[in-house]
Structures are given as structure tokens and as C-alpha cells.
Amino acid sequence: MKKTFTFIVAAIMLSACNAPSSTSDIDSVKVDTFAVDTTTGVSDDTMPAAEKEKVATTPTTKWTYSEHEDKMTSKKTYFASIDANEELQFDFPYDGGSTATIALRKGKNGNEVLLSVSKGQFNTGVDGSEVTVRFDQNKAITFSCSEPSDNSSDLLFINNATKFIANAKRSKKMIIQAEFYQSGLQTMEFDIAGLKWDH
């Protein structure tokens, strides 16, 4: 017997910024819904066989997508986000598990990559900070980071978004290592297969 589920695709929203750094915010999200037959991976029995095969072989993805329209300019900002496979564990007062999230954002400032945690503080110095990223089994890459304009300590902008996104689009796994206040270096793993980003 076929079971049909409705998946609601929603993403963490980060507000449009005036500089290559900004604070995070939740705003209206365009939500896409679709039904998938779990036995075949297709949503409509009338779909042509070639299309059914294409859908059935498309890799599953953990990425979620959204878009936000600025009410003043009617211009859209696009987002894609994904959570780490496991929560980070910090000492008091941030104990209890912290979720790390990578978000891609395309707005008036072009493409941006944001790394955030639900609880905790990134350790940043006067010269900024860095994260180390490994895509699949390739050699690790060091990316410099920028802080948000409001100096929030739970968010970093990863510089060189073009290089980061290009690597992410052709990879299945990603490991990010960042330094946290009073917690040292922490590693975050993401299953990033299937990223669709043409902005």
C-alpha cells in the first residue's frame, strides 16, 4: 500500500543586511509543499516513466530552501540552510545541546555564507577569526570569517562565499572546525549532498 507524506520545506531566515555582516531574524517564508510516494519516490502516477526514473534517482537532501521579499523594494532574498548532524555540547550556561547551522543567502550583497549556533559563543579576536572546512575527503581549507555588525557572538560570516559554495555543491559531506569561547575547537559535521543553488 502506498503511503504519501507531505513534506513542508522551511528554512531558518536571516535578515537582509547593509554590509557583509548582519544580525539574524525570522520573517515571512515562502513555503513549498509536495507529496511523495515513499514506495516509488514520485508524487503522481501520471508522471512519464522518464520523469519517474529521474525523481527516483535524485539523491535525498537535508537542505531546506526559502525566500523573503522586502516589502519596501519587492526584491527577494534567497536562503538555503542545513543543520549539523549532531548537537554541540558546551558547559554552563550553554549546556543542554546547541545546534549548528550553515545558511546560504543571496541578496543585494551577493552570496553570503553564515555559520550560527543556537547556543554558545564563537571565539573571535581583534584580527577576526577562521574556520577550517573539509569537503568530502579533500584537503581541509581555511576560511577567514567576519563578525556581524551588532557583534553577536553566535554568528559568523564565512568569507569567500564563492569558493565555499562551489565546493559544497559538488560534495556530500562537510566538516567544519571552529573555536568557541571557553570550549576550544569544536567539530561540526553536515550531510550536504544535493545542494541546489543557482543564485
Side-chain angles (χ1 to χ4, degrees):
M1 187 174 81
K2 295 181 179 179
K3 296 181 180 179
T4 302
F5 294 83
T6 299
F7 296 88
I8 299 179
V9 180
I12 184 173
M13 287 287 297
L14 297 166
S15 62
C17 60
N18 297 322
S21 54
S22 89
T23 57
S24 59
D25 190 17
I26 301 296
D27 212 323
S28 57
V29 181
K30 179 180 178 182
V31 178
D32 299 322
T33 61
F34 57 93
V36 177
D37 185 336
T38 57
T39 61
T40 63
V42 297
S43 57
D44 190 344
D45 288 337
T46 62
M47 184 180 293
E51 289 300 315
K52 286 184 179 181
E53 182 178 352
K54 180 179 179 181
V55 172
T57 57
T58 300
T60 58
T61 181
K62 294 184 178 181
W63 289 95
T64 56
Y65 303 86
S66 64
E67 59 186 59
H68 165 70
E69 183 174 305
D70 188 299
K71 294 180 180 179
M72 294 299 295
T73 65
S74 295
K75 292 183 178 180
K76 291 183 178 180
T77 301
Y78 300 91
F79 301 87
S81 66
I82 190 168
D83 291 339
N85 298 342
E86 297 180 356
E87 292 183 333
L88 294 166
Q89 300 299 326
F90 298 125
D91 294 330
F92 179 84
Y94 303 116
D95 52 326
S98 176
T99 301
T101 301
I102 279 288
L104 311 183
R105 177 171 69 184
K106 172 61 182 298
K108 60 183 179 181
N109 293 319
N111 278 316
E112 295 173 302
V113 180
L114 303 93
L115 173 63
S116 65
V117 288
S118 59
K119 292 190 294 184
Q121 298 183 56
F122 289 103
N123 196 22
T124 57
V126 292
D127 297 325
S129 60
E130 296 179 337
V131 295
T132 303
V133 185
R134 188 178 188 191
F135 297 96
D136 290 335
Q137 298 301 313
N138 298 311
K139 183 178 178 181
I141 305 170
T142 299
F143 289 87
S144 61
C145 299
S146 301
E147 297 180 55
S149 57
D150 66 353
N151 296 317
S152 297
S153 58
D154 58 354
L155 174 68
L156 289 176
F157 284 78
I158 298 178
N159 300 330
N160 201 342
T162 300
K163 182 177 182 179
F164 186 100
I165 294 171
N167 279 277
K169 289 174 70 174
R170 57 175 178 258
S171 303
K172 296 180 179 180
K173 302 276 186 182
M174 177 177 66
I175 301 174
I176 298 180
Q177 188 177 70
E179 187 173 358
F180 290 86
Y181 178 68
Q182 293 185 339
S183 296
L185 292 173
Q186 300 287 330
T187 299
M188 298 150 276
E189 297 187 19
F190 301 80
D191 292 329
I192 60 171
L195 172 61
K196 301 296 183 184
W197 191 255
D198 300 319
H199 303 291

